[in-house]
Amino acid sequence: MVVDDHPLLREGIAAVLEGQPDMLLVGEAVDGREAMARFEVLRPDVTLMDLQMPDMNGIETIRAIRERWPEARIAILTTYRGDVRALHAIKAGAMGYLLKSTLRKELVEAIRLLAAGKRHFPPEIASELAAHLDSDGLTPREIEVLQCVALGKPNKVIASQLQISEDTIKGHLRSIMDKLGANNRTHAVAIGVQRGFVEL
């Protein structure tokens, strides 16, 4: 089953699977709620799920499906390479992570691996995950501060909004830049977006 709100992508995957004698696209869904309903009826061997969807995102949907059907084999299908998103997807129960730029051959091989109960993560995602698993992640408060910085808010406004002092904001920013290896707040936002800490 393919869950994505872009019809072109669903059609593209359907076309790839059509040529595979051992695969059948049993269903499609455009969002998380439809995916839940279709999953209950179809019980696909493998589900490819977009991360960014209206109403209920991919990670929430994976978590909800895996709670009801723990045997579900789901892979995230995304344009994002961020290691934090990959980590959230794995924690939610994803067994694979496929970039939408994936070549046909890799897509087909990944589906076969998942159907056999194995995991699939592209080498670049696996190495990013390994590199960041032992490094400090950002705290929820630091993510909140970085999100405010990403929206262009000055320290004074962030301090007022979060009801903490400007000095505390500066301390959080020092910690964020240190953890992300950033040179300044703009660089920290860029890294935060790339790794999936911040949504723009």
Side-chain angles (χ1 to χ4, degrees):
M1 179 165 83
V2 178
V3 184
D4 196 293
D5 56 337
H6 294 100
L8 271 175
L9 187 102
R10 294 196 310 272
E11 285 166 23
I13 291 173
V16 170
L17 300 187
E18 222 168 65
Q20 304 303 317
D22 58 341
M23 291 182 196
L24 175 68
L25 182 62
V26 294
E28 298 178 13
V30 298
D31 61 38
R33 300 204 188 284
E34 189 182 4
M36 293 277 298
R38 304 294 314 262
F39 194 95
E40 186 163 20
V41 175
L42 301 168
R43 300 292 170 89
D45 294 322
V46 175
T47 303
L48 304 178
M49 176 106 44
D50 188 19
L51 264 184
Q52 302 285 105
M53 294 184 293
D55 193 21
M56 188 176 177
N57 72 34
I59 288 170
E60 293 166 338
T61 309
I62 291 172
R63 198 174 289 120
I65 288 175
R66 288 291 304 256
E67 271 173 20
R68 287 189 64 186
W69 301 283
E71 73 291 347
R73 291 187 283 267
I74 306 170
I76 281 289
L77 193 59
T78 183
T79 49
Y80 303 100
R81 291 174 180 269
D83 59 292
V84 175
R85 284 189 188 88
L87 207 51
H88 289 169
I90 293 163
K91 284 180 179 168
M95 293 180 71
Y97 196 96
L98 285 163
L99 296 168
K100 289 183 181 178
S101 57
T102 296
L103 300 171
R104 292 172 70 119
K105 187 169 174 271
E106 192 190 331
L107 175 69
V108 169
E109 283 170 7
I111 292 170
R112 287 198 180 105
L113 280 172
L114 291 158
K118 298 189 170 96
R119 293 174 173 270
H120 172 81
F121 294 94
E124 64 270 31
I125 293 288
S127 63
E128 275 182 36
L129 280 171
H132 295 301
L133 279 175
D134 56 354
S135 72
D136 286 337
L138 299 183
T139 65
R141 177 59 100 187
E142 286 168 347
I143 292 169
E144 216 175 351
V145 169
L146 190 59
Q147 184 71 58
C148 288
V149 171
L151 295 172
K153 296 179 182 176
N155 290 356
K156 192 173 186 174
V157 173
I158 300 170
S160 163
Q161 187 181 319
L162 301 181
Q163 297 181 328
I164 50 182
S165 75
E166 268 189 81
D167 283 341
T168 305
I169 296 294
K170 286 175 188 166
H172 283 314
L173 283 170
R174 275 194 300 274
S175 172
I176 290 165
M177 289 190 280
D178 190 42
K179 287 180 180 179
L180 297 182
N183 306 323
N184 54 44
R185 52 198 288 150
T186 308
H187 190 208
V189 168
I191 295 169
V193 169
Q194 185 188 3
R195 289 189 52 194
F197 284 116
V198 171
E199 300 283 338
L200 285 180

